[in-house]
Amino acid sequence: MASVAQWHASPRRGALVITDSGTGEVRVPLSLFHLDQHQGDVDLVLSHTEATELQEFLSVPTAGRAISVAAAR
């Protein structure tokens, strides 16, 4: 079995994040790679709260501080 360290995911080119206003669900389309070889596509499915928390968490290393984000509904 391949090491997990050799796997990564990237946003799927040309695909948009999909939100469901009824459930608050957020789907982030990703492409999966093993050693830069495309292995397939998958959607990361998050609750509205999880998506907001993830976006805030990721804003710290990219912006140097937490950024408040408006949730997509």
Side-chain angles (χ1 to χ4, degrees):
M1 179 183 247
S3 168
V4 174
Q6 297 172 342
W7 287 83
H8 70 274
S10 296
R12 197 176 314 150
R13 287 187 182 182
L16 300 174
V17 172
I18 300 167
T19 60
D20 184 317
S21 61
T23 65
E25 181 178 274
V26 178
R27 291 181 173 269
V28 181
L30 300 174
S31 292
L32 301 175
F33 294 88
H34 177 255
L35 295 176
D36 294 332
Q37 295 292 319
H38 184 255
Q39 300 297 307
D41 296 321
V42 66
D43 288 346
L44 172 62
V45 181
L46 303 166
S47 70
H48 172 74
T49 301
E50 291 168 330
T52 300
E53 289 174 357
L54 178 60
Q55 189 169 11
E56 289 172 353
F57 175 78
L58 293 174
S59 71
V60 174
T62 58
R65 59 183 166 72
I67 297 173
S68 178
V69 293
R73 289 201 185 245

